[in-house]
Amino acid sequence: MAGTERHYVSTTNACKLCKPIGACLAFRGIEGAVPFLHGSQGCATYMRRYIISHFREPMDIASSALSEKHAVFGGGPNLKQGLKNVITKYGAGIIGIATTCLTETIGDDVPGIIREFCQEEKDLFSNDTGPLLVNASTPSYSGTHMEGFHEAVKAMVGQVATRNGAAEDVNLLPGFVSPADIRYLKEILEDFKVSGTVLPDISETLDGQALLDYEKIPSGGTPISGIKTMGSARATIEFGRTLMGEHTAGELLSTRHGVFLSQVGVPIGIRESDEFFSAMETISDKKIHQKHEQERGRLIDAYVDAHKYIFGKRAIVFGEEDLVVGLTSLLSEIGVIPVLCASGGKSGHFGECVKAVTKGITDAPIVRDGADFFDIASEAKSLKPDLLVGHSKGYSLSRKLNIPLIRVGFPIHDRIGAQRILHVGYRGAQSLLDRIVNAVIERKQDVSPVGYTYV
Amino acid sequence: MSDKRIMNAPAIALDDFVEGVVDVYPAKAAKKRRKHIVVRDPAEKQRIEANERTIPGIISQRGCCYAGCKGVVIGPIGDMVHIVHGPVGCSYYSWLSRRNLFRPRADGQNYMQYCFTTDMEEKDIIFGGEKKLKAAIQEAYDIFKPKAISVLATCPVGLIGDDINSVSKEMSEKLGIQIIPFSCEGYKGVSQSAGHHIANNNLFKFVIGQDDIEQKEHTINILGEYNTGGDTWEIERVLNRCGINVLSVFTGDGSYSEMRQSHMADVNLLMCHRSVNYIADMMETKFGIPWIKVNFIGIKSMAKSLKKIARFYDDPKLTERVEKVIEEEVAKAEEGIARYIPRLKGKTVILFVGGSRAHHYQGLFRDLGMVPIVAGYEFAHRDDYEGREVLPDIKVIADNRNIEDLTVERDPERYNPRKDDETLKRLKEEEVIDTYHGMWEDMGRGTMAIDDVSHKELGMLIKKLKPDMVCSGIKDKYVIEKFGVPSKQLHNYDYSGPFAGFRGAVNFAKDLDMLIHNPVWKLTTPPWKKKPVLKADLTVST
Ligand code: SF4
Ligand code: SF4
């Protein structure tokens, strides 16, 4: 049933965002970076607003602020002027330039304009530390915010990484996970005693401290020096089952620089996390730290404790494809039946990946790619779900069906703490499990006429 | 001129400060930018530049033409289907993000929670998206049977040559409902302001004046009020108590059916001058409906606005009723804010919002004993600062040239002056109708007006002036709070409200108190950073 054809012409209540926002998010995870949109200023403003309401952090995106005239005659001059201002006024160490529908439609040659700019403004680039300009092509009319995200990561690797450096690092390409996830992943790398380059690293840039001062460009992020040496790393670990076999940043590092590539699913739930930890063991040639083994043990124990509350519950899962695949894997492990897996993305691999993580555990769920909430709601009618797992846009449906929504992923703009949600690893599974089970218990308690105190 | 100091703020030489602020720009830009910053001196005739293109690479708060058209004006109309023609992002970002509340009317039509888009893909960009748009309109009609549909264009649409006007016309004839095209591609104009204009034009062309239904006496429209956090409802509550009927609101809690009858009202009350002054003017020319500039934010402003309306009607019974309502409501509201005043008094505020709220809220702050020291708009024009007197001097900038100014004439049958010429003349002279003085009338000597503030400037303002609170939108909120200064969002109200009217003022006071006296501001520095560092004088013996 995978990949059912969509029935409707319009996208109604989309379950995806546009490509450049993904690129901006990824660029935000680079040290000293200012994301820059080549297009009219509106896109930048809208995207900032969305990112800010999720992370509750400042988020700057510069723009070339094209007008009607530029839309007709080309946006080159504005792009150059904008880059110059960002370099001189914000002191950017790196500018991540993403295109928008506008500049893709008019066909601006961004790499060409950037080359010209560097020629014309030699002074700005006179020293080694001069700003790097990285560009990603991100027209929304082909792909979602996730494609934009991966495109930006690939652009960083493709345009910055070299083979100069010590060959003991590990590259970790986690995709779009939360700041809390990144912090935890870095801890895991440390516990395996490997120095790693996590690209991108939004753990500080999008979850900053109250400083009583303001940093124009927030501290933290993947150091550029680290990205420069990615080509000499001993291996790359890349998350995302739908990325396997695609032209990704990991694949680029492997074909161009010969870096060994290990692709695993986003490590959500025990099995996917096991894969990740095993990959870490192989690559680091070290045993898993006892701490993590213990966490796994406690997680198993918790699965056992939780089973009676959630076994046989039916869930609808939605969001980015790889996130949904991971969540589906977790849900099926804990005895919840994923009845519908939906995403606005259309990588073409969604169905097979969902099948891979449910095989042998539960019946293959209905899979809808390129889906919107109108599709999800129509499908939900006959599915009798007990809970929804996904981002805030599922709230209307959860209200209509009167079932809980477990908020994960992006965007979450009706709860606090989105940046602190832990999804990955044993620890992430533990926290998701607790939240899911408690939501189910809470609902049961709330609607019960008895008023159970012990459940 | 160091005597121009901001009252209640740390004394700084404002002119030096202004030079310092603009210094961060490249020389040419700095010269231009200087003109957007004015230290107020009411004794002089001053001028501010506004509605100019943002400098590329300098991060501003502004949105695009589509945001002004769909996001601000058209989106809040709840009983119409709105289809965004373009790639997915633009529609997603304007999907209920502005908190414009809507309550369905008797016909039950309510599309507020939907966000429709043609979600253009590569093939639509290459081969054109008209077919898909037609199919989308047909589909929306088949599923929902709405009374009307709007089609809103985003950036790529104009560039690939999709003709949304002819598609809308064709489908309108086919389906027998109104389909209204808005060519509000984001690159038009310099900010969302262009989109307001486009939205106004088409509401006027397609919606206003379509349905002649006799109205009760004392019936008004409210223009430029968007029902953020339920503001419209509080305003309506008070007006209804006064015996004034609200026929339609543009466009908060907005109903397409009601707007079609709006030309039957006695007078238009104009809240946000920036976003709907066009409609107000056009309705006056065509139907003879004058407008009254009102400000329903703040206790005194609200009372003053109600009195203005009473003066317009000049009906003793109504006036008496209005006076009575004011007396009761003011007393209650003052009682409500009394406990907060000692906690808010003398606190300084900086406001940067939109195209009218940075003016409207100043009165409310003063009601609470607070001191607005700097204010500015994101996308206003000169007249919003300086008053409508400057309208004749404003040059149309190149960016706005393609936005149509409708030529409007008297409706031969339905033009109906609401008062005789003499009364109208007198009301105008008394500044009851058809005038707006802009933000400046309320900004005293030494305060500062800044148009389209940048983050950099905002940062410097906070550091130098140390305000107790900064009001802005979500894009600045977290920047401001990183400085340790509380921020109130005046676009979406931090998910609170209503703040309009009498009850709103009390809600607002409560929110501000909560923000300013948040205990966390006292906890920011850990004890080990407060104590003098202890010199280690322990000798460790081994
Ligand atoms: S693409 Fe154009 S219409 Fe859409 S948000 Fe960007 S500037 Fe606005
Ligand atoms: S035009 Fe494209 S890039 Fe801009 S907001 Fe719309 S979909 Fe996103």
Side-chain angles (χ1 to χ4, degrees):
Chain A
M1 245 191 279
T4 327
E5 281 303 301
R6 43 172 310 125
H7 301 121
Y8 299 102
V9 182
S10 279
T11 293
T12 303
N13 299 356
C15 187
K16 60 177 177 181
L17 289 86
C18 73
K19 220 166 165 182
I21 197 176
C24 291
L25 281 161
F27 285 135
R28 182 63 157 185
I30 317 288
E31 188 173 65
V34 174
F36 188 112
L37 283 184
H38 184 35
S40 1
Q41 72 195 354
C43 315
T45 299
Y46 266 143
M47 289 175 209
R48 285 172 62 206
R49 174 182 206 303
Y50 242 84
I51 295 171
I52 292 167
S53 60
H54 174 89
F55 292 98
R56 297 170 198 265
E57 284 289 326
M59 172 76 190
D60 282 346
I61 301 176
S63 148
S64 50
L66 300 191
S67 70
E68 188 149 16
K69 186 180 89 197
H70 308 114
V72 177
F73 298 109
N78 267 43
L79 176 55
K80 291 176 185 171
Q81 195 193 345
L83 290 174
K84 188 168 176 183
N85 282 338
V86 172
I87 294 168
T88 54
K89 300 305 154 198
Y90 294 87
I94 176 164
I95 304 180
I97 305 150
T99 52
T100 59
C101 302
L102 168 63
T103 45
E104 288 287 341
T105 306
I106 62 178
D108 267 1
D109 168 23
V110 173
I113 300 169
I114 294 176
R115 267 196 305 276
E116 269 173 42
F117 175 75
C118 296
Q119 282 296 317
E120 291 160 15
E121 302 282 351
K122 284 213 179 73
D123 289 356
L124 295 176
F125 301 94
S126 51
N127 56 16
D128 280 356
T129 55
L132 281 170
L133 305 180
V134 172
N135 71 92
S137 158
T138 48
S140 264
Y141 46 75
S142 62
T144 69
H145 61 296
M146 279 321 293
E147 276 77 32
F149 190 100
H150 295 313
E151 193 61 40
V153 175
K154 202 164 81 183
M156 290 299 308
V157 165
Q159 295 164 45
V160 181
T162 67
R163 217 183 298 194
N164 311 327
E168 54 201 51
D169 286 1
V170 170
N171 303 321
L172 177 60
L173 308 173
F176 185 23
V177 291
S178 75
D181 287 329
I182 303 267
R183 282 193 286 272
Y184 173 41
L185 289 169
K186 284 161 78 174
E187 184 186 325
I188 294 171
L189 290 182
E190 245 168 60
D191 292 339
F192 275 101
K193 307 228 163 6
V194 294
S195 57
T197 302
V198 181
L199 177 72
D201 174 1
I202 55 170
S203 62
E204 283 176 68
T205 55
L206 283 172
D207 194 8
Q209 308 179 45
L211 293 171
L212 300 194
D213 199 351
Y214 172 60
E215 305 171 309
K216 273 176 296 183
I217 301 175
S219 45
T222 318
I224 295 168
S225 56
I227 304 172
K228 279 188 175 153
T229 58
M230 281 176 94
S232 65
R234 104 169 66 135
T236 304
I237 298 184
E238 187 168 48
F239 290 172
R241 280 180 179 264
T242 67
L243 299 182
M244 296 176 188
E246 293 291 315
H247 294 298
T248 62
E251 186 253 8
L252 190 71
L253 284 163
S254 144
T255 50
R256 193 182 287 177
H257 302 294
V259 183
F260 173 77
L261 174 62
S262 168
Q263 287 178 310
V264 294
V266 182
I268 300 179
I270 289 182
R271 291 167 304 152
E272 297 288 83
S273 298
D274 284 349
E275 293 272 331
F276 168 55
F277 278 98
S278 307
M280 282 305 299
E281 283 196 327
T282 315
I283 288 163
S284 66
D285 202 17
K286 298 213 173 52
K287 292 298 291 173
I288 182 171
H289 193 287
Q290 198 193 2
K291 173 172 89 187
H292 299 293
E293 213 171 346
Q294 285 170 348
E295 280 180 339
R296 187 183 190 281
R298 283 195 288 269
L299 179 59
I300 297 279
D301 196 52
Y303 272 25
V304 175
D305 296 345
H307 200 65
K308 61 175 180 173
Y309 298 110
I310 46 170
F311 175 72
K313 295 283 177 210
R314 302 161 66 82
I316 293 179
V317 199
F318 54 85
E320 295 127 11
E321 291 169 279
D322 279 311
L323 180 73
V324 171
V325 171
L327 292 166
T328 304
S329 180
L330 167 83
L331 289 170
S332 48
E333 284 169 8
I334 62 176
V336 172
I337 308 167
V339 286
L340 169 64
C341 297
S343 176
K346 279 198 276 193
S347 67
H349 306 301
F350 190 38
E352 70 203 62
C353 294
V354 167
K355 217 184 252 161
V357 296
T358 48
K359 207 167 111 207
I361 277 208
T362 179
D363 292 341
I366 300 173
V367 174
R368 293 294 306 268
D369 62 359
D372 60 27
F373 280 97
F374 200 74
D375 300 324
I376 297 172
S378 356
E379 206 80 71
K381 275 187 207 137
S382 58
L383 290 174
K384 300 206 173 49
D386 299 298
L387 63 144
L388 303 175
V389 184
H391 50 79
S392 287
K393 295 298 186 201
Y395 175 66
S396 308
L397 184 61
S398 111
R399 192 181 162 97
K400 196 168 119 202
L401 300 176
N402 194 21
I403 56 174
L405 165 65
I406 318 299
R407 287 169 178 77
V408 290
F410 175 88
I412 296 175
H413 38 53
D414 59 349
R415 283 295 183 276
I416 197 166
Q419 66 277 54
R420 292 182 292 274
I421 294 177
L422 203 52
H423 306 82
V424 303
Y426 303 128
R427 216 179 277 170
Q430 182 68 71
S431 127
L432 290 175
L433 174 78
D434 292 346
R435 289 177 58 211
I436 293 169
V437 177
N438 284 334
V440 170
I441 294 177
E442 196 176 313
R443 185 53 50 114
K444 188 174 170 191
Q445 212 171 19
D446 285 352
V447 300
S448 138
V450 182
Y452 299 105
T453 313
Y454 290 95
V455 282
Chain B
M1 283 209 288
S2 52
D3 66 331
K4 282 186 191 168
R5 293 181 199 283
I6 290 186
M7 5 167 218
N8 289 35
I12 56 157
L14 266 186
D15 284 324
D16 295 349
F17 173 68
V18 172
E19 296 317 319
V21 170
V22 297
D23 221 31
V24 302
Y25 293 97
K28 217 172 98 199
K31 215 174 128 210
K32 271 186 151 174
R33 186 64 200 147
R34 177 68 186 81
K35 299 186 179 150
H36 293 251
I37 306 177
V38 169
V39 180
R40 276 293 283 148
D41 182 353
E44 276 174 39
K45 179 145 179 49
Q46 292 178 303
R47 174 191 167 123
I48 190 166
E49 280 317 323
N51 196 32
E52 296 264 353
R53 181 148 285 281
T54 309
I55 302 163
I58 300 293
I59 295 160
S60 113
Q61 302 161 316
R62 284 179 170 175
C64 63
C65 179
Y66 160 82
C69 183
K70 156 74 176 15
V72 175
V73 184
I74 302 302
I77 307 174
D79 56 353
M80 272 177 90
V81 162
H82 307 297
I83 300 178
V84 177
H85 187 37
V88 70
C90 324
S91 71
Y92 195 98
Y93 302 127
S94 61
W95 172 12
L96 274 186
S97 46
R98 206 160 136 269
R99 296 191 72 231
N100 30 252
L101 310 180
F102 177 76
R103 100 199 110 85
R105 310 298 201 268
D107 63 14
Q109 298 218 13
N110 178 6
Y111 306 103
M112 215 57 205
Q113 63 274 48
Y114 291 110
C115 168
F116 303 95
T117 172
T118 52
D119 192 359
M120 287 176 131
E121 298 188 347
E122 193 137 20
K123 60 177 190 302
D124 307 314
I125 298 287
I126 297 169
F127 301 111
E130 291 183 12
K131 251 179 89 196
K132 194 168 190 181
L133 175 59
K134 263 184 227 172
I137 295 172
Q138 181 71 51
E139 179 181 271
Y141 179 77
D142 293 342
I143 299 177
F144 297 103
K145 299 274 174 326
K147 297 179 272 194
I149 297 176
S150 74
V151 173
L152 302 117
T154 72
C155 282
V157 171
L159 300 171
I160 60 169
D162 270 9
D163 183 351
I164 63 166
N165 289 310
S166 65
V167 169
S168 300
K169 192 151 172 263
E170 182 191 325
M171 291 308 287
S172 180
E173 277 157 18
K174 179 171 173 204
L175 303 175
I177 59 167
Q178 267 195 325
I179 307 211
I180 311 174
F182 294 87
S183 296
C184 53
E185 283 88 349
Y187 52 74
K188 291 187 173 163
V190 304
S191 69
Q192 45 273 65
S193 172
H196 304 148
H197 196 163
I198 291 170
N200 275 239
N201 284 352
N202 278 5
L203 285 179
F204 190 74
K205 272 201 272 194
F206 289 87
V207 183
I208 295 168
Q210 301 292 320
D211 204 354
D212 292 337
I213 289 184
E214 274 314 317
Q215 301 297 330
K216 291 184 253 179
E217 64 164 4
H218 302 148
T219 291
I220 53 95
N221 301 310
I222 308 177
L223 309 188
E225 161 50 48
Y226 299 103
N227 203 23
T228 313
D231 274 359
T232 307
W233 296 328
E234 162 65 4
I235 296 168
E236 279 182 359
R237 178 188 74 82
V238 178
L239 290 173
N240 291 342
R241 280 201 68 194
C242 295
I244 298 162
N245 303 301
V246 180
L247 167 52
S248 71
V249 183
F250 289 73
T251 53
D253 188 24
S255 149
Y256 165 80
S257 307
E258 289 165 6
M259 287 177 190
R260 285 164 62 91
Q261 307 165 8
S262 56
H263 61 297
M264 306 301 288
D266 306 326
V267 64
N268 284 326
L269 308 183
L270 188 57
M271 258 299 263
C272 173
H273 176 261
R274 180 68 272 131
S275 57
V276 293
N277 71 82
Y278 317 93
I279 284 183
D281 280 338
M282 294 188 286
M283 283 178 86
E284 177 148 30
T285 314
K286 187 165 179 185
F287 302 106
I289 308 179
W291 55 269
I292 304 175
K293 174 72 183 80
V294 290
N295 173 11
F296 292 134
I297 306 292
I299 300 172
K300 291 201 188 73
S301 307
M302 177 88 191
K304 195 171 143 197
S305 298
L306 292 173
K307 283 185 186 154
K308 251 182 167 181
I309 302 168
R311 274 169 71 192
F312 170 80
Y313 277 111
D314 199 16
D315 164 349
K317 270 212 336 251
L318 183 83
T319 308
E320 194 185 320
R321 195 159 161 190
V322 167
E323 292 292 346
K324 197 167 153 261
V325 170
I326 291 177
E327 203 186 303
E328 286 172 20
E329 294 276 347
V330 168
K332 235 194 247 155
E334 281 181 345
E335 194 192 311
I337 62 170
R339 55 186 290 221
Y340 302 109
I341 289 190
R343 297 165 65 85
L344 298 174
K345 211 169 159 167
K347 304 274 183 210
T348 55
V349 200
I350 291 180
L351 312 87
F352 289 112
V353 232
S356 64
R357 285 184 178 164
H359 179 199
H360 289 164
Y361 273 81
Q362 292 190 30
L364 178 48
F365 281 114
R366 286 194 198 95
D367 287 344
L368 301 173
M370 296 174 70
V371 188
I373 50 175
V374 184
Y377 298 127
E378 266 169 55
F379 48 77
H381 300 192
R382 276 182 61 202
D383 45 318
D384 302 302
Y385 291 97
E386 300 173 48
R388 281 176 72 95
E389 308 83 90
V390 301
L391 276 175
D393 315 343
I394 299 181
K395 278 206 273 337
V396 180
I397 53 168
D399 283 309
N400 282 342
R401 229 167 256 147
N402 294 339
I403 295 159
E404 190 187 8
D405 259 319
L406 298 183
T407 339
V408 181
E409 279 163 16
R410 275 188 188 187
D411 188 303
E413 277 126 54
R414 293 179 297 171
Y415 179 82
N416 162 29
R418 293 340 195 222
K419 301 264 171 189
D420 61 57
D421 281 356
E422 208 160 299
T423 316
L424 285 174
K425 200 167 149 243
R426 179 178 52 82
L427 288 172
K428 232 178 250 183
E429 276 163 18
E430 290 173 2
E431 302 193 333
V432 174
I433 59 164
D434 300 357
T435 33
Y436 177 46
H437 286 304
M439 175 199 272
W440 277 7
E441 67 176 351
D442 287 328
M443 295 190 66
R445 182 182 170 81
T447 59
M448 207 198 273
I450 304 186
D451 179 63
D452 186 24
V453 76
S454 71
H455 265 177
K456 201 131 189 176
E457 291 162 350
L458 187 61
M460 292 182 70
L461 286 168
I462 293 175
K463 281 202 167 148
K464 289 272 158 65
L465 302 180
K466 304 209 167 27
D468 294 301
M469 160 157 307
V470 180
C471 297
S472 189
I474 190 169
K475 292 183 291 291
D476 299 320
K477 181 181 177 74
Y478 300 99
V479 175
I480 296 161
E481 293 189 339
K482 286 273 185 241
F483 283 104
V485 176
S487 162
K488 179 86 202 148
Q489 295 179 58
L490 285 188
H491 284 282
N492 66 15
Y493 293 176
D494 284 300
Y495 319 103
S496 174
F499 294 151
F502 297 112
R503 291 185 183 165
V506 182
N507 291 338
F508 193 66
K510 187 169 152 225
D511 276 21
L512 294 192
D513 178 41
M514 173 179 90
L515 272 169
I516 292 186
H517 297 286
N518 181 345
V520 76
W521 301 122
K522 295 204 182 100
L523 304 176
T524 48
T525 315
W528 53 90
K529 291 228 169 118
K530 283 182 199 153
K531 280 190 218 142
V533 184
L534 286 181
K535 289 269 174 322
D537 55 2
L538 279 179
T539 347
V540 183
S541 51
T542 44

